[in-house]
């Protein structure tokens, strides 16, 4: 309040305790940037950190290594032991990966059974490979969860800034491509990205799309191979073999599309491919 001359006579102050509001905002920020199951940074936070680190790497000239980790056949754990056991395995996997890197590095859960590790100040590809082998060894140790001993393996892809990508999205995508190369090579391995892998990834993507259309277009055809007795050559049965009559690539055996079907979860194509590999029908002719 002021008097007639405009001099301040008194004040009225209003105070609010913002601590709860600040705590709530902090919690919301954490939830938005971290995985709720493992507590690791999520995809969003990893991409933000990558962009920041890439900017630093451009100025300093120090390479940045990105490692993409995928647990092999983790879906079987969920299907056979349940998602609660699967969640505990993911938490243990997150702890193992986090405990093997430095404080300056970042481990993030990218979704499902995929993890990404960003390694800073790594100058040689050999050093990146050493870290990848350490991760493979750590994840190969048995997981002891609720009286279950679970054996898993992992496939790892590696991309390096700047030669394999100059932004976060490209680095992640190319490390993912390299990971699928490692998986296709028999799993339990790591692979470095190169441009040839990009071409392979595009062909695989085309095959995935063609595979989905093939089921609706009835492009799978059975072929029958006679089974004869060695003694007299008499035909005593036949073997049913399924082939994909691809409109551009011709007849494809199951080995050329079964792995793609398994990776994409295409159940119908998986059943067709597996049946053509194992089903044997013997009947009098």
């Amino acid at each position: 309040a002021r008097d007639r001359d405009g001099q301040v006579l008194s004040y009225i102050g209003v105070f609010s305790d913002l601590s709860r509001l600040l705590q709530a905002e902090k919690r919301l920020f954490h939830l938005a940037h971290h995985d709720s199951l493992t507590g690791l940074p999520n995809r969003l936070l990893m991409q933000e950190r990558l962009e920041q680190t890439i900017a630093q790497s451009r100025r300093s000239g120090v390479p940045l290594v990105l490692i993409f980790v995928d647990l092999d056949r983790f879906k079987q754990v969920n299907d056979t032991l349940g998602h609660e056991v699967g969640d505990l395995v993911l938490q243990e996997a997150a702890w193992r990966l986090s405990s093997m890197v430095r404080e300056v590095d970042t481990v993030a859960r990218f979704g499902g059974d995929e993890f990404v590790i960003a390694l800073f100040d790594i100058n040689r590809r050999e050093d990146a490979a050493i870290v990848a082998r350490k991760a493979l060894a750590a994840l190969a140790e048995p997981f002891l969860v609720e009286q279950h001993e679970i054996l898993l393996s992992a496939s790892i892809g590696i991309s390096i800034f700047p030669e394999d990508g100059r932004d976060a999205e490209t680095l992640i995508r190319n490390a993912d491509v390299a990971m699928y190369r490692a998986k296709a090579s028999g799993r339990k391995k790591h692979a470095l990205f190169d441009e040839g892998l990009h071409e392979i990834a595009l062909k695989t993507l085309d095959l995935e799309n063609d595979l989905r259309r093939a089921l609706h277009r009835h492009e799978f055809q059975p072929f029958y191979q006679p089974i004869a007795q060695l003694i007299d050559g008499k035909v005593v049965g036949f073997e049913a073999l399924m082939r994909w009559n691809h409109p551009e690539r011709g007849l494809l055996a199951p080995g050329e599309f079964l792995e793609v079907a398994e990776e994409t979860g295409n159940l119908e194509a998986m059943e067709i491919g597996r049946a053509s590999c194992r089903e044997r029908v013997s009947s009098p002719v």
Side-chain angles (χ1 to χ4, degrees):
R2 298 177 183 270
D3 60 17
R4 292 179 179 179
D5 298 326
Q7 298 296 320
V8 176
L9 299 177
S10 60
Y11 295 91
I12 298 176
V14 179
F15 299 91
S16 297
D17 184 0
L18 300 179
S19 58
R20 290 187 178 181
L21 178 61
L22 294 175
Q23 289 175 358
E25 290 179 350
K26 184 177 180 180
R27 176 170 174 75
L28 287 174
F29 180 86
H30 185 274
L31 291 175
H33 291 81
H34 291 79
D35 174 52
S36 59
L37 177 64
T38 63
L40 293 177
N42 60 14
R43 182 192 298 256
L44 176 62
L45 182 55
M46 170 58 85
Q47 289 177 322
E48 290 179 357
R49 289 186 179 179
L50 273 178
E51 293 293 358
Q52 294 172 2
T53 308
I54 286 172
Q56 295 173 3
S57 296
R58 287 196 182 101
R59 293 192 296 267
S60 65
V62 177
L64 164 69
V65 173
L66 199 71
I67 295 180
F68 200 105
V69 182
D70 180 86
L71 300 181
D72 296 327
R73 296 191 172 94
F74 177 76
K75 184 176 182 296
Q76 293 181 357
V77 176
N78 283 335
D79 291 345
T80 57
L81 300 177
H83 287 273
E84 290 185 2
V85 172
D87 287 348
L88 293 174
V89 171
L90 290 174
Q91 290 174 338
E92 174 67 17
W95 179 83
R96 293 184 187 185
L97 292 174
S98 299
S99 63
M100 53 162 283
V101 299
R102 303 162 301 175
E103 290 186 4
V104 296
D105 302 323
T106 299
V107 179
R109 185 186 178 201
F110 227 56
D113 58 353
E114 297 175 338
F115 298 87
V116 169
I117 305 173
L119 303 175
F120 309 127
D121 296 334
I122 297 292
N123 295 312
R124 301 185 307 162
R125 286 177 175 264
E126 293 81 1
D127 295 332
I130 290 173
V131 176
R133 286 194 291 269
K134 287 174 61 178
L136 291 174
L139 295 173
E141 292 293 324
F143 289 80
L144 303 178
V145 179
E146 294 187 353
Q147 300 180 344
H148 298 288
E149 183 178 84
I150 302 170
L151 296 177
L152 290 176
S153 61
S155 298
I156 290 178
I158 302 172
S159 64
I160 300 176
F161 173 84
E163 54 261 45
D164 297 332
R166 294 184 172 273
D167 58 74
E169 183 179 352
T170 303
L171 281 174
I172 293 170
R173 182 177 66 246
N174 289 342
D176 188 23
V177 168
M179 181 276 294
Y180 274 103
R181 178 62 173 175
K183 194 178 288 289
S185 300
R187 297 181 171 87
K188 305 180 184 179
K189 298 179 180 179
H190 71 272
L192 291 164
F193 176 80
D194 62 54
E195 285 300 327
L197 294 183
H198 184 64
E199 295 299 324
I200 294 174
L202 290 177
K203 291 180 179 178
T204 302
L205 180 61
D206 290 340
L207 191 63
E208 290 176 13
N209 295 330
D210 291 344
L211 191 57
R212 293 187 181 94
R213 290 190 289 264
L215 294 167
H216 299 290
R217 296 176 181 177
H218 306 289
E219 293 176 357
F220 290 97
Q221 298 177 356
F223 287 80
Y224 301 96
Q225 179 171 290
I227 301 174
Q229 296 182 147
L230 292 177
I231 297 176
D232 54 11
K234 180 181 178 181
V235 176
V236 295
F238 62 89
E239 184 177 15
L241 305 170
M242 193 65 72
R243 295 291 184 266
W244 178 8
N245 190 9
H246 194 283
E248 297 177 0
R249 305 186 187 188
L251 289 177
L252 300 180
E256 298 179 76
F257 64 86
L258 182 55
E259 185 170 357
V260 173
E262 290 177 343
E263 294 297 338
T264 57
N266 194 323
L267 300 180
E268 293 180 85
M270 287 165 58
E271 287 302 315
I272 290 173
R274 289 169 178 170
S276 65
C277 291
R278 68 168 184 263
E279 292 297 331
R280 185 180 181 89
V281 181
S282 296
S283 59
V285 176

